[in-house]
Amino acid sequence: MLNNWPVAAFIVVALSGVVAGCSDNKDAAFDEEAPSATTSSVLTSVGRWISTDTSDVIQDPQTSGLIEINGQLVTIADGSAAFEQQRKLHFIDKDTATLTISSNAFKLATRVRRSCFSDYLTNAPDLEALASDPRNPNVIYTVTEDATRTGTLSTRCEKKYQDTGSTDYPTLLVRLERDEDNTVTMTHVRPLQFPTEFEVGNFPNDGIEGMAMAKDGTLYLGLEKDKAGQPRIFSLNIADDFWKSADFAVVNEPDLSLPKFETGSHPINGLALYNAADSGNRFLLAAARNDNEVWVIDVAGKVETKRISMQFNVSADNECGEYVMDNASIEGLVVVEDTLWLINDPWKVNYLKNIKCEAETPRYEAMAPLLFSVPLNDAWFQ
């Protein structure tokens, strides 16, 4: 059913360091040093530089999140991107790895302009993920992360939204809507609240970085790390009346089997949703950026979670040839038919470590992203 894709090459080996793993409310845990309980594919994906019609690479978009709209891939810039890239949707032709168009800088609907969060959402908000609403192709969700540079809220707003259960400035879920002329508007905003028993911790720059939405309105939110240094996945039910309130939206924690680590940093930096046609099971695909892994998580808990080891190469159109990246930093992924597409967010403190020869230096100095893909494998979902 699932076919090979020309930009990805398979190298199938036994994946060491994997055992069945679970979250805090489960009995088992991943042991990083244990022998593998399952085997899985180590995938080598060859990335292509994303170009524009005027440049061989797109300049410093700090691409975060990835969705699909009308056959094109769509990403968003975070708060550290070049100013001209921020608060826009960027559309990419996946077949040519070309930026086709960028949206307007997001407008703010009246209710958002009058909210406590107007200043932050107007001035370089750190937008870190995207999710499309399968019930309405014109509705997209994004989420904010680090707002420490924004300063405090007004006294009234700070009092109203002080009990975040996490950071001092609340994480914001933002609803975007595209109209007929492709203008994008921030129509609604709600702050997220994490119950204190979840022990999320106060980590402004290690917050929600992955989102995916199911047809039943369940929105999944991937957290980089909690107080114990563990990645987590939370959820919300976006019902018809969800946006009628401006109060906190309290997240839930679905009973998922996630890796648990004793040491190190293993954040979730992207989420995608896949519905297996043969079994009807729903799977979350999570990008573990620091580990160069994709985690395959059965939402129903019927299939053991798998950790797919990945290697990211670059197909250079110069004397550099193809080479292995030192640090890819995947921060967006989406399933389109039988292919998993991935995009990286150039990690500024590490990105220049990827330079293997002088001809590639300008691209890395421009903090240019790459587009990757791998074919889905039936074995991941069994």
Side-chain angles (χ1 to χ4, degrees):
M1 180 183 82
L2 303 177
N3 299 317
N4 290 336
W5 195 264
V7 299
F10 278 112
I11 305 175
V12 182
V13 301
L15 175 63
S16 60
V18 181
V19 296
C22 308
S23 57
D24 292 343
N25 58 349
K26 300 276 189 172
D27 295 326
F30 283 90
D31 183 342
E32 295 176 83
E33 303 302 324
S36 176
T38 61
T39 58
S40 193
S41 297
V42 176
L43 303 181
T44 297
S45 183
V46 183
R48 296 170 292 164
W49 295 103
I50 300 173
S51 63
T52 72
D53 58 357
T54 59
S55 174
D56 74 328
V57 293
I58 181 173
Q59 303 287 314
D60 193 17
Q62 293 295 293
T63 39
S64 299
L66 196 65
I67 58 174
E68 183 265 341
I69 297 177
N70 297 331
Q72 292 197 83
L73 303 179
V74 183
T75 188
I76 197 168
D78 70 22
S80 63
F83 178 76
E84 63 271 15
Q85 308 286 8
Q86 295 182 26
R87 296 189 303 123
K88 297 177 181 180
L89 296 179
H90 302 286
F91 291 74
I92 301 166
D93 184 323
K94 61 183 183 296
D95 297 323
T96 61
T98 303
L99 179 73
T100 59
I101 192 172
S102 295
S103 75
N104 61 295
F106 302 149
K107 295 183 177 180
L108 271 63
T110 301
R111 63 173 64 85
V112 178
R113 288 200 307 271
R114 293 176 177 173
S115 75
C116 289
F117 314 110
S118 176
D119 287 347
Y120 177 46
L121 294 177
T122 302
N123 299 297
D126 194 25
L127 304 176
E128 288 286 357
L130 287 176
S132 54
D133 192 326
R135 304 165 300 184
N136 186 337
N138 292 321
V139 172
I140 300 163
Y141 304 105
T142 187
V143 67
T144 67
E145 194 185 36
D146 188 5
T148 54
R149 64 186 180 280
T150 303
T152 59
L153 295 167
S154 68
T155 301
R156 178 185 66 84
C157 292
E158 186 175 7
K159 183 177 181 179
K160 182 176 182 179
Y161 296 120
Q162 63 184 341
D163 297 326
T164 67
S166 59
T167 52
D168 295 333
Y169 196 105
T171 298
L172 305 178
L173 180 66
V174 181
R175 182 184 185 273
L176 306 174
E177 186 165 356
R178 300 163 57 237
D179 62 20
E180 292 180 356
D181 63 359
N182 211 31
T183 298
V184 181
T185 303
M186 291 182 170
T187 62
H188 300 77
V189 57
R190 284 188 71 176
L192 302 184
Q193 186 180 59
F194 301 86
T196 55
E197 62 268 25
F198 287 180
E199 296 188 317
V200 170
N202 187 349
F203 302 106
N205 198 37
D206 291 288
I208 300 297
E209 291 231 355
M211 294 201 305
M213 191 172 191
K215 293 180 180 179
D216 63 4
T218 301
L219 180 66
Y220 296 95
L221 305 134
L223 182 80
E224 287 194 272
K225 73 174 185 181
D226 65 7
K227 190 175 182 180
Q230 303 298 319
R232 305 274 286 275
I233 294 178
F234 302 107
S235 66
L236 287 168
N237 179 27
I238 310 297
D240 291 341
D241 60 352
F242 180 87
W243 296 107
K244 292 181 180 179
S245 172
D247 295 336
F248 275 118
V250 183
V251 304
N252 303 303
E253 185 164 28
D255 190 20
L256 302 176
S257 174
L258 290 183
K260 184 177 179 181
F261 302 93
E262 296 297 328
T263 60
S265 179
H266 311 272
I268 291 174
N269 291 95
L271 282 180
L273 196 66
Y274 173 68
N275 295 294
D278 53 350
S279 66
N281 289 356
R282 181 191 303 166
F283 292 85
L284 285 170
L285 303 178
R289 180 179 80 173
N290 289 12
D291 300 316
N292 281 349
E293 291 180 349
V294 171
W295 300 340
V296 183
I297 306 159
D298 181 12
V299 172
K302 299 177 182 178
V303 177
E304 179 182 353
T305 293
K306 296 179 177 65
R307 292 167 61 184
I308 311 302
S309 182
M310 298 195 68
Q311 175 178 298
F312 297 99
N313 289 10
V314 176
S315 178
D317 52 0
N318 49 47
E319 64 269 23
C320 298
E322 184 176 319
Y323 58 90
V324 181
M325 296 187 76
D326 177 86
N327 184 282
S329 297
I330 298 299
E331 286 215 2
L333 63 169
V334 65
V335 174
V336 181
E337 297 178 345
D338 293 342
T339 301
L340 176 64
W341 293 90
L342 310 98
I343 197 168
N344 69 324
D345 176 6
W347 191 357
K348 292 188 175 179
V349 299
N350 288 312
Y351 210 46
L352 299 186
K353 296 176 183 178
N354 290 304
I355 298 173
K356 299 295 176 71
C357 69
E358 187 176 351
E360 290 284 84
T361 299
R363 291 169 169 174
Y364 286 109
E365 290 180 338
M367 296 295 148
L370 295 120
L371 184 64
F372 301 88
S373 67
V374 291
L376 296 181
N377 187 334
D378 284 327
W380 298 354
F381 313 107
Q382 297 173 355

